[in-house]
Amino acid sequence: MDNLRIQGGARLEGTVRISGAKNAALPILCAALLADGDHRFRNVPQLRDVRTMAKLLRHLGLDASQDGNVVDVVSRRIPEPVAPYELVKQMRASVLVLGPLVARYGRASVSLPGGCAIGARPIDQHLKGLEAMGAEVELKHGYVHVEVPAGRLKGAEIVLDMPTVTGTENLLSAAVLAQGRTTLVNAAREPEIEELARVLNKMGADVEGAGTDVITVQGVESLQPVDHAIIPDRIEAGTYMAAAAATRGNVLLEGVTFEHLEAVAAKMRHAGVAVEREGDGIRVAAEGELRATDITTAPHPGFPTDMQAQFMVLMCTATGQSRITETIFENRFMHVPELNRMGAEIDVDGRTATVKGVESMEGAQVMATDLRASASLVIAGLVAHGTTDVLRVYHIDRGYERIEEKFAALGATIERVPGHA
Ligand code: EPU
């Protein structure tokens, strides 16, 4: 497995173009299962997770190929709506085929994703919603088997216990072909949900309220294929914002939707970072001392859990003590011991990490077991004195397109070292 080797100390300066959003692309690719014909998706990031999703679609019987940032999917009726363990274990988001498959075929079997490095991550809300729409659910041999005795899902009112992102996406994709009206209450409000609804509506669906906590869907008989360009990745953007600020740099992020990053921008401004809209982008600049700033992760429009680790590194460079509280996932502080090995001073007590700003950090060999934690270690490496080797870049390649090229273009000394375990 490749490593990333970083010589820390450079201020990041220049311009970086933000890629398409991984977490928007994944459910949208699955939506191709809902309508036969030729779909074209543009601005799709070249990432391991996207490749895994394309593999899953091909396994199901569709054609799916990526050329640069364009993914073409040729959709047709598939023989067996089954997502096997071999693919689901590579990526939890494979569960996003469940809603479209049940909507289209009245049945599906999907390997249960199980827990992962950041928490238990059950899918009970996805299943509860499908049951409310008339599906029968059975868990057997590690698979969830869903069957709709009536053949077609029926619209229902579904109240989610928590605003789950992929759960909302699965139920939304299921409801578009159901008979009658579905209301999703306490729906997730993330921009990726709005984007999925936009695509479904382009395909001929009738979805209202996406981006709010009540989404209504009037089911239709059939949908058409779509040509669509994916929104920018707000978490990739936030990661470059944190890196720019932590290195006291000055970076213009191009092709970003500012409204998707309000919570992150507000916290950075509180810390003393200049965050300004510029054209279709955001300029982030910082110098001198930054102020310790507390954050608590929350569903959108709150501070995203996917930015918690990167913001924590920024707080390691601030003056004073900040408290970082994680409310979404129970095990999302794996970066803390690694950051402490680099000279950070972070204590974790339950869901809250207390971060004391330090004068400097030192390079080390570090490793993390999830995507955003790994990204935080890259930022720490950019800040630290000396050499940092971030092992298992595998995780970063799941979610950051050409990360070493983008940081190098901003003046960082960073290279991919192939082939280490
Ligand atoms: N939850 C349940 N039951 C359910 C569904 C969720 O208890 O049926 C709980 C989860 O265990 C968690 C909370 O609800 O504690 C929220 O989880 P959610 O379902 O919203 O997370 P997700 O849909 O599995 C997506 C992103 C994650 C991101 C979270 C939170 C995708 C493909 N993944 O996951 O992204 O952290 O929302 O915003 O959209 C990443 O990109 O690195 C990543 C992990």
Side-chain angles (χ1 to χ4, degrees), residues 99-151:
L101 287 178
V102 175
R104 183 81 198 280
Y105 300 99
R107 67 195 171 92
S109 298
V110 173
S111 175
L112 273 174
C116 73
I118 60 177
R121 303 183 75 179
I123 57 161
D124 55 298
Q125 300 299 307
H126 309 220
L127 302 179
K128 184 181 89 169
L130 291 174
E131 280 176 334
M133 287 193 266
E136 287 177 1
V137 174
E138 194 185 14
L139 304 179
K140 224 168 144 187
H141 304 305
Y143 277 73
V144 47
H145 301 280
V146 179
E147 174 101 42
V148 187

Side-chain angles (χ1 to χ4, degrees), residues 286-334:
E287 51 188 274
E289 287 197 10
L290 294 184
R291 190 182 318 141
T293 298
D294 298 342
I295 59 163
T296 299
T297 64
H300 193 77
F303 192 95
T305 172
D306 287 345
M307 276 301 298
Q308 176 256 108
Q310 303 89 313
F311 196 85
M312 188 182 289
V313 177
L314 179 61
M315 287 301 97
C316 291
T317 75
T319 305
Q321 190 165 295
S322 52
R323 285 163 61 82
I324 295 190
T325 304
E326 172 60 55
T327 70
I328 308 293
F329 293 112
E330 63 275 20
N331 188 25
R332 219 177 190 184
F333 283 136
M334 276 99 49

Side-chain angles (χ1 to χ4, degrees), residues 22-23 26-27 92-93 96 118 120-126 162-167 169 190 234 305-306 327-330 332 370-372 398:
K22 164 180 84 85
N23 288 348
L26 297 175
R92 285 185 46 82
L96 284 166
I118 60 177
R121 303 183 75 179
I123 57 161
D124 55 298
Q125 300 299 307
H126 309 220
M162 76 285 293
T164 156
V165 175
T166 49
E169 291 164 349
E190 270 66 4
R234 63 195 167 98
T305 172
D306 287 345
T327 70
I328 308 293
F329 293 112
E330 63 275 20
R332 219 177 190 184
D370 90 274
L371 169 60
R372 309 303 173 186
R398 289 191 40 213

Side-chain angles (χ1 to χ4, degrees), residues 3 309 312-313 316 332-348 358 360-370 372-381 384 387-392 395:
N3 296 340
M312 188 182 289
V313 177
C316 291
R332 219 177 190 184
F333 283 136
M334 276 99 49
H335 41 290
V336 168
E338 297 296 89
L339 293 174
N340 283 345
R341 290 180 54 240
M342 297 178 73
E345 291 188 22
I346 308 166
D347 280 323
V348 174
V358 289
S360 65
M361 292 172 73
E362 285 161 26
Q365 283 199 318
V366 288
M367 184 167 87
T369 45
D370 90 274
R372 309 303 173 186
S374 301
S376 79
L377 298 178
V378 172
I379 301 175
T387 307
T388 294
D389 281 318
V390 181
L391 309 186
R392 292 207 189 163
H395 291 290

Side-chain angles (χ1 to χ4, degrees), residues 9 40-41 55 75 111 153 214 307 317 334 354 359 402:
R40 174 160 282 189
F41 303 107
K55 212 192 283 178
S75 187
S111 175
L153 290 168
V214 180
M307 276 301 298
T317 75
M334 276 99 49
T354 304
E359 287 290 317
R402 295 181 288 107

